[in-house]
């Protein structure tokens, strides 16, 4: 699941780089260094990861509370002669939620570095001529 999210983040930041190539050229012409450009896109990826991780933890906590309160009746999943009974219930575990949040942010930060490096390597003259 994290690989899929990392690919999504790389794709989002790459599309951001390609849609703003002329803007990158202007920023470079005004004196921004390749390091500044890399930092700009890395921070954009970090913001995307923070927002996604916050939303994911919030949604997961809501679903966890629902599973703790009501659970899922496993008898509804019984097929043929397979005896299944009981309820599947959730467990409140803030440590796991924190680890998931941190892991999501770190994966987004690492995934954002690939397009950020590409943006930092653009030459100002080539970027300004880009159609």
């Amino acid at each position: 699941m994290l690989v899929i999210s990392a690919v999504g983040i790389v794709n989002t930041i790459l599309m951001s780089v390609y849609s703003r190539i002329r803007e990158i050229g202007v920023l470079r012409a005004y004196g921004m260094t390749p390091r500044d450009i890399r930092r700009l896109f890395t921070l954009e990826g970090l913001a995307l990861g923070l927002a996604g991780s916050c939303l994911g933890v919030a949604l997961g906590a809501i679903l966890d509370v629902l599973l703790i309160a009501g659970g899922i009746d496993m008898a509804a999943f019984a097929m043929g002669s397979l005896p299944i009974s009981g309820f599947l219930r959730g467990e409140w575990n803030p440590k796991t939620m924190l680890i998931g949040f941190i892991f999501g942010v770190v994966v987004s930060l690492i995934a954002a570095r690939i397009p950020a490096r590409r943006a930092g390597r653009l030459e100002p003259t080539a970027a300004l001529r880009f159609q």
Side-chain angles (χ1 to χ4, degrees), residues 3-26:
V3 170
I4 293 170
S5 64
V7 168
I9 291 168
V10 167
N11 186 42
T12 301
I13 302 296
L14 266 176
M15 291 301 107
S16 177
V17 167
Y18 286 128
S19 68
R20 298 191 298 179
I21 286 181
R22 292 181 62 94
E23 178 185 332
I24 293 167
V26 170

Side-chain angles (χ1 to χ4, degrees), residues 28 34 37-38 113-124:
R28 290 289 310 274
I37 301 292
R38 283 193 308 268
R113 294 295 295 167
I114 297 166
R117 263 188 306 210
R118 183 169 287 173
R121 279 191 248 136
L122 288 173
E123 288 298 321

